[in-house]
């Protein structure tokens, strides 16, 4: 009877081990996809906040992607850090100096909010068609861009995106000239509600 119990225990442990080994790659892909979504949702939230602040204050508000959030920050279309500030100088190409400053809308550089890339987003990679977006008092981009501005979020640690034959669910944020800011999945066709 004891040897039967030991044999049953060994069989159960073998089955659990096999199931664990089979599910590990799927779990890793899920973690990487979660990091992509976390970064995309953070950027989407920041863009929507910049737009709503511009409308509420009837003023120009900037959303900028930066390489760091310290006082030496520079604009970067590959930056996963972002800063929202009032745009008192009306120059969309001016870099927010002193990114490391605490939020304060009464003192230059008039930062409303900032978010570091490392806050829960892992190894995600950002590729934007513009590092600075300025919303005016009616929620539109100024100056008016020639076309949509896109921000693509991927995770190269996990391989290719589904659209490129891989397993990663990469996401895109599209900002139109009229200020619409949807998040979409480039793997879906344009007519699909989830597509770009």
């Amino acid at each position: 009877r004891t040897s039967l119990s030991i044999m049953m225990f060994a069989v159960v442990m073998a089955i659990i081990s096999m199931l664990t080994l089979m599910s590990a790659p799927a779990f890793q892909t899920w973690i990487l996809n979660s990091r992509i979504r976390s970064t995309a949702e953070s950027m989407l939230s920041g863009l929507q906040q910049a737009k709503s602040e511009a409308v509420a204050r009837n003023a120009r508000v900037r959303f900028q992607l930066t390489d760091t959030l310290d006082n030496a920050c520079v604009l970067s279309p590959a930056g996963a850090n972002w800063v929202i500030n009032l745009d008192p100088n009306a120059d969309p190409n001016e870099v927010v100096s002193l990114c490391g400053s605490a939020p304060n809308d009464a003192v230059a550089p008039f930062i409303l909010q900032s978010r570091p890339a490392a806050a829960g987003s892992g190894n995600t990679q950002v590729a934007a068609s513009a590092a600075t977006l300025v919303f005016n008092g009616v929620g539109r981009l100024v100056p008016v861009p020639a076309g949509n501005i896109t921000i693509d979020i991927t995770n190269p640690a996990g391989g290719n995106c589904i659209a490129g034959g891989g397993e990663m669910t990469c996401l895109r944020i599209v900002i139109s000239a009229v200020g619409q800011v949807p998040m979409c999945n480039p793997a879906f066709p344009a007519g699909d509600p989830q597509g770009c």
Side-chain angles (χ1 to χ4, degrees):
R1 186 168 194 190
T2 303
S3 63
L4 182 60
S5 297
I6 292 173
M7 189 156 53
M8 291 293 285
F9 178 75
V11 168
V12 168
M13 291 306 294
I15 291 171
I16 290 173
S17 297
M18 287 190 317
L19 290 174
T20 301
L21 288 173
M22 289 188 315
S23 66
F27 184 69
Q28 182 180 11
T29 300
W30 179 80
I31 293 287
L32 294 172
N33 285 335
S34 294
R35 290 179 177 162
I36 291 171
R37 179 158 293 281
S38 174
T39 299
E41 287 176 349
S42 167
M43 295 241 175
L44 181 65
S45 173
L47 285 159
Q48 290 171 337
Q49 180 182 353
K51 178 182 173 181
S52 67
E53 287 283 352
V55 171
R57 295 169 184 262
N58 193 25
R60 293 167 59 117
V61 174
R62 277 190 288 197
F63 176 90
Q64 294 184 314
L65 298 174
T66 62
D67 63 343
T68 66
L69 282 181
D70 59 21
N71 291 341
C73 67
V74 284
L75 290 176
S76 173
N81 305 290
W82 55 259
V83 177
I84 299 171
N85 77 312
L86 293 176
D87 187 41
N89 300 322
D91 180 1
N93 297 314
E94 179 188 16
V95 178
V96 172
S97 58
L98 305 174
C99 289
S101 301
N104 187 338
D105 66 352
V107 178
F110 307 101
I111 292 177
L112 301 175
Q113 186 176 1
S114 61
R115 183 187 186 277
S121 55
N123 298 326
T124 55
Q125 186 173 26
V126 174
S129 58
T132 298
L133 295 107
V134 179
F135 293 94
N136 66 14
V138 293
R140 294 177 180 246
L141 290 179
V142 289
V144 177
N148 291 339
I149 293 174
T150 59
I151 302 174
D152 289 315
I153 298 99
T154 61
N155 194 331
N160 294 327
C161 300
I162 291 173
E167 295 182 358
M168 292 294 96
T169 304
C170 300
L171 297 171
R172 176 177 293 155
I173 299 171
V174 180
I175 305 97
S176 71
V178 295
Q180 294 176 328
V181 188
M183 182 170 58
C184 58
N185 185 335
F188 288 92
D192 192 289
Q194 296 180 55
C196 294

